[in-house]
Amino acid sequence: MKVLKFGGSSVANAENIEKVKNIVANASKGEKAIVVVSAFGGVTDLLVKASLLAAAQDEAYKNVLQEIEEKHISTAQALIEINNQSKVISNVKRELNVLETLLEGAFLIGETTPKLLDKIVGFGEQLSSFIINEYFLKEGLDSVHKDSKTLIKTNDNFGKAAVDYKTTNELCENYFGTVSYQVIVAPGFVASSAKGDSTTLGRGGSDYTAAIYAAAINAKTLEIWTDVSGMYTANPKLVKQAFAIPHISYEEAMELSHFGAKVLYPPTIQPVLSKGISIHIKNTFAPEEEGTLITKNTNGKERAVRGISHVESISLISLEGSGMVGIPGISKRFFEVLSQAKVSVVFITQASSEHSICIGVASEDAEKAKSALEMAFEYEMTLKKINPVVVENNLAIVALVGDNMKSHQGLSGRMFSALGKNNVNIRAIAQGASERNISAVINKNDVKKALNTLHEQFFEDNVKQLNLFVMGVGNVGEKFLAQIEKQRKFLKKQLKLNIRVVALSNSRKMVFNDNGLDLKNWKEQLENGEETGLDKFFSKVKELNLRNSIFVDNTANEAVSNTYASYLNDSISVVTCNKIAASSPYKNYVHLKELSRKYNAPFLFETNVGAGLPIIDTLKNLIASGDKITKIQAVLSGSLNFVFNNFNDSTNFDEVVKQAQEEGYTEPDPKIDLSGIDVMRKILILARESGNELDIEQIENDSFLPQESLDTDNVEDFYKTLVKHKEHFDGIYKAAADKDCRLKYVAQFENGKAKVGLQHIPKDHPFYNLEGSDNIVLFFTERYVKQPLIIKGAGAGADVTASGIFADIIRIGNF
């Protein structure tokens, strides 16, 4: 004989109940089956609502009662043929008339006692089981309806009665041992006291009913049919990558269900635990799926962590004070007070100094617990030996669960390290001696991020998900997105990095999708997005609160760079090709670096110097290894190198600059490049990354532009001045050619001073043969004294800049 239990979602409507019938028909072919059913979906909540309204003498309870009646009548009509409906519907209405009388009583006296409430809320299971059995009979099943109140006996603790197992087991053995029907349909949740009063087994009690029956008859298995395919590694509504656990132990299942896994009601396991009866959790809507098998032990080399669960709406209650140290009985008094106040403790931690006790309770019990404790310890508080009770709200518990955790070292370290890297603040920690559970109290707003972070750490084969929030989709941004789309599969397979673009923004619109944007049609999605704004964009990023978040700035906008501190302060990494922040006043540069370290959020800007060339990374490695920079010489502007490589006595200077702009080598405003500001920023950044304190005003700039060109305030006027001063530029070229030299715009840092300017480069100089838009950097150090360390390659262009940004993101992924 087996026992099958179907939850509210499985019997929510006629269509679902038909699926239940098919499952029961298959299950009962070779052996008898006890079918325990919950109330139709949502009915128990409606019954509670109706009783509360009636107790408040609000006649709106009648509307709720009408809704309950319509739900049952319509379901019966959908399941039962017209010529057989009258018997079923009249029985349903008769029961609903009794319910109406009870609610009227509550309305007249203006209250509902626990005893009356038990009678009211049990109607859901009574009605659903009757209707379902009648449907089974109509469909040809050898079925009978049995009221669980005649079999399960309890005390009179109304609301959550304790089962009298001796009496219950005798009744069950006698009935199920003699019944001849192949299918027995019984309501879950309901029972009765020795006096015959209606009682209930607590919310989730239908599981409990099924387990009581299974234990009483020594059933082969207990099947729990629900709307998910078993117990998952985490809540699949919050963790998309979560998957069903094929096999799990009783203890693991209890831990997971205690910490919020709603698939199973914790007391369910107790009756079957001692009998060694397996529990199989299956999906009513996908019966072919494996589900989760729960047994005494799993006998396999399973993962150390079997699941991650959580409990929301938790409050921490703390009692501390010097008067607690070394005083026997404090803990006893503390927990006795809570017990008498009927406050359930879900989390306990105590300092070894005995100076404090901290517990977690359901938020709805927090004030009750606080009042009870302050009353009990009033004397000690008056003497200031114990401090007033402290309550912290808006918290949640996340927990790692697994039988094999005790044999694996470093799990707690991995757990707390992963949470810390994502700025999930841990308020309290508890770990049992069995080491089957490690629990942490966190802010409830961080639950989703925490669960995904831990799931990634322990279940996803070290695949790390990076969530990108990209601002700027011009030349560089477009190339960057194309590179991500092209390399996504490679990165996941080879580097274990799952890169998702969660948000995009240009100067007008922004679009968000916390499941990741489809990069094949991102332009269309962005165009149909909402109006953007820097504050609005940041607020949305913060609201999503995703793990491993990275803000990517592909702009050259100062206002955007001013938002970096906000992102870093919220543990969101920043990757940028925008040079403004790293070359801003030294105080701000240092502040951003400090925020990066403090909140464990990388701030990377490799593309600030040399586009995709590993210049800054190489410099960092030199410094980290103990080397010291003595001198830097560099051609750092790909645009200026392109200009002067293509400018000669047969070309016009303004035309070459125009060509450089059109090919994407210059900023949108080419004056930024030609004035030397861009190169000044780059050498400034290198000087700072070398460990020197320097500001841009201290850099000497020997500009080759006429003052009139420098004074322009728009691109059109700037080009006009280049045409006007043609002779000036021709003269610059001739002066270099006469010396058989080439023109290169050189940046130099030495002895704490930096300068930039156009220089005549002779044939024997390393810079002479620098072609196209290439950059070159010479690092002279205490190790590289005579022969500098040289980095050379393409230093401008959207593709190489995008690849540099991509490389920084991969660095963060490997961080």
Side-chain angles (χ1 to χ4, degrees), residues 605-606 608-609 613-620 685-686 689:
F605 43 87
E606 180 66 73
N608 279 196
V609 182
L613 295 176
I615 296 172
I616 295 177
D617 192 53
T618 302
L619 177 56
K620 285 180 178 178
I685 292 168
L686 292 182
E689 291 294 298

Side-chain angles (χ1 to χ4, degrees), residues 297-461:
N297 56 61
T298 55
N299 294 323
K301 295 181 180 179
E302 306 289 347
R303 294 177 184 269
V305 177
R306 194 61 63 88
I308 305 163
S309 201
H310 75 287
V311 183
E312 293 186 0
S313 300
I314 291 294
S315 293
L316 279 184
I317 311 286
S318 300
L319 186 71
E320 63 179 50
S322 58
M324 295 170 59
V325 180
I327 305 299
I330 289 287
S331 295
K332 177 178 179 292
R333 286 174 61 194
F334 182 89
F335 290 106
E336 268 186 354
V337 167
L338 295 172
S339 177
Q340 290 165 4
K342 294 188 176 180
V343 173
S344 179
V345 177
V346 297
F347 180 97
I348 305 170
T349 181
Q350 182 172 12
S352 58
S353 65
E354 301 181 18
H355 181 262
S356 67
I357 300 174
C358 178
I359 62 164
V361 302
S363 293
E364 61 191 31
D365 292 333
E367 283 306 313
K368 181 166 59 173
K370 181 176 185 288
S371 298
L373 289 169
E374 287 183 338
M375 186 178 297
F377 291 96
E378 183 179 7
Y379 177 70
E380 289 87 347
M381 290 178 185
T382 302
L383 297 177
K384 299 191 182 303
K385 290 185 176 181
I386 293 180
N387 301 331
V389 176
V390 175
V391 178
E392 296 178 68
N393 296 311
N394 300 315
L395 301 173
I397 297 173
V398 292
L400 296 185
V401 173
D403 282 340
N404 296 326
M405 284 167 52
K406 59 187 174 184
S407 58
H408 286 74
Q409 296 180 342
L411 287 179
S412 57
R414 287 172 62 192
M415 175 183 182
F416 302 136
S417 175
L419 293 175
K421 284 182 178 180
N422 280 280
N423 197 30
V424 177
N425 187 35
I426 298 172
R427 291 292 303 110
I429 300 167
Q431 181 173 6
S434 69
E435 297 185 38
R436 187 177 287 118
N437 177 307
I438 304 173
S439 303
V441 178
I442 63 173
N443 188 302
K444 72 175 184 179
N445 294 329
D446 288 331
V447 164
K448 183 176 180 180
K449 179 163 68 172
L451 291 176
N452 278 276
T453 296
L454 295 175
H455 198 272
E456 181 179 86
Q457 179 69 224
F458 293 102
F459 289 100
E460 296 175 31
D461 296 324

Side-chain angles (χ1 to χ4, degrees), residues 214-270:
I217 64 171
N218 290 307
K220 183 175 69 175
T221 185
L222 165 59
E223 294 181 2
I224 305 289
W225 290 83
T226 182
D227 57 359
V228 292
S229 298
M231 299 190 81
Y232 277 65
T233 49
N235 186 338
K237 293 179 181 177
L238 299 177
V239 181
K240 302 297 183 186
Q241 291 78 23
F243 54 88
I245 308 167
H247 197 181
I248 194 171
S249 72
Y250 291 132
E251 291 79 6
E252 290 169 328
M254 287 184 71
E255 290 282 0
L256 285 173
S257 58
H258 174 71
F259 281 95
K262 305 298 183 185
V263 174
L264 198 65
Y265 183 55
T268 300
I269 300 174
Q270 294 293 352

Side-chain angles (χ1 to χ4, degrees), residues 44-347:
T44 302
D45 288 335
L46 289 173
L47 288 165
V48 172
K49 182 180 179 181
S51 63
L52 292 174
L53 289 170
Q57 297 184 316
D58 185 340
E59 292 197 355
Y61 83 88
K62 295 179 181 178
N63 298 330
V64 180
L65 180 61
Q66 181 65 30
E67 186 179 348
I68 293 169
E69 179 175 346
E70 289 174 358
K71 189 173 185 69
H72 287 91
I73 297 298
S74 63
T75 302
Q77 289 173 336
L79 291 171
I80 312 295
E81 295 172 353
I82 293 177
N83 56 341
N84 293 323
Q85 282 180 9
S86 58
K87 171 197 167 187
V88 177
I89 291 174
S90 63
N91 188 291
V92 169
K93 287 192 172 182
R94 187 164 53 249
E95 289 294 307
L96 289 170
N97 287 337
V98 176
L99 173 61
E100 183 178 16
T101 302
L102 294 173
L103 290 169
E104 284 176 353
F107 181 83
L108 291 172
I109 64 174
E111 66 175 344
T112 54
T113 64
K115 183 176 180 180
L116 177 57
L117 192 59
D118 265 4
K119 288 182 179 180
I120 293 171
V121 297
F123 271 84
E125 279 74 13
Q126 294 284 91
L127 290 167
S128 67
S129 58
F130 170 75
I131 294 171
I132 289 170
N133 181 65
E134 291 296 318
Y135 170 61
F136 283 0
L137 288 170
K138 188 266 291 187
E139 290 295 308
L141 295 184
D142 184 25
S143 176
V144 67
H145 180 253
K146 182 62 176 175
D147 189 349
S148 294
K149 289 191 285 188
T150 65
L151 296 176
I152 300 177
K153 295 298 176 179
T154 69
N155 63 9
D156 57 1
N157 182 20
F158 300 104
K160 194 175 182 182
V163 176
D164 176 356
Y165 281 104
K166 185 175 184 298
T167 304
T168 297
N169 288 341
E170 288 176 0
L171 291 169
C172 289
E173 287 170 10
N174 289 336
Y175 177 73
F176 292 118
T178 58
V179 68
S180 60
Y181 291 93
Q182 199 69 11
V183 177
I184 304 98
V185 180
F189 182 51
V190 296
S192 65
S193 68
K195 297 176 182 178
D197 293 320
S198 294
T199 58
T200 60
L201 303 178
R203 294 300 294 267
S206 291
D207 285 355
Y208 198 10
T209 302
I212 291 168
Y213 288 155
I217 64 171
N218 290 307
K220 183 175 69 175
T221 185
L222 165 59
E223 294 181 2
I224 305 289
W225 290 83
T226 182
D227 57 359
V228 292
S229 298
M231 299 190 81
Y232 277 65
T233 49
N235 186 338
K237 293 179 181 177
L238 299 177
V239 181
K240 302 297 183 186
Q241 291 78 23
F243 54 88
I245 308 167
H247 197 181
I248 194 171
S249 72
Y250 291 132
E251 291 79 6
E252 290 169 328
M254 287 184 71
E255 290 282 0
L256 285 173
S257 58
H258 174 71
F259 281 95
K262 305 298 183 185
V263 174
L264 198 65
Y265 183 55
T268 300
I269 300 174
Q270 294 293 352
V272 299
L273 189 62
S274 59
K275 296 289 186 78
I277 298 169
S278 63
I279 302 173
H280 203 172
I281 299 174
K282 297 275 286 179
N283 190 341
T284 304
F285 309 101
E288 72 285 352
E289 293 187 1
E290 184 180 2
T292 297
L293 181 65
I294 306 173
T295 59
K296 187 174 183 179
N297 56 61
T298 55
N299 294 323
K301 295 181 180 179
E302 306 289 347
R303 294 177 184 269
V305 177
R306 194 61 63 88
I308 305 163
S309 201
H310 75 287
V311 183
E312 293 186 0
S313 300
I314 291 294
S315 293
L316 279 184
I317 311 286
S318 300
L319 186 71
E320 63 179 50
S322 58
M324 295 170 59
V325 180
I327 305 299
I330 289 287
S331 295
K332 177 178 179 292
R333 286 174 61 194
F334 182 89
F335 290 106
E336 268 186 354
V337 167
L338 295 172
S339 177
Q340 290 165 4
K342 294 188 176 180
V343 173
S344 179
V345 177
V346 297
F347 180 97

Side-chain angles (χ1 to χ4, degrees), residues 19 47 50 199 204 248 279 303 322 344 374 398 484 491-492 506 535 584 608 611 618 623 642 660 668 690 736 775 777:
K19 290 181 171 64
L47 288 165
T199 58
I248 194 171
I279 302 173
R303 294 177 184 269
S322 58
S344 179
E374 287 183 338
V398 292
I484 289 179
L491 293 172
K492 191 168 185 178
N506 56 22
D535 291 339
S584 63
N608 279 196
T618 302
I623 301 300
F642 178 90
S690 303
N775 280 191
V777 179

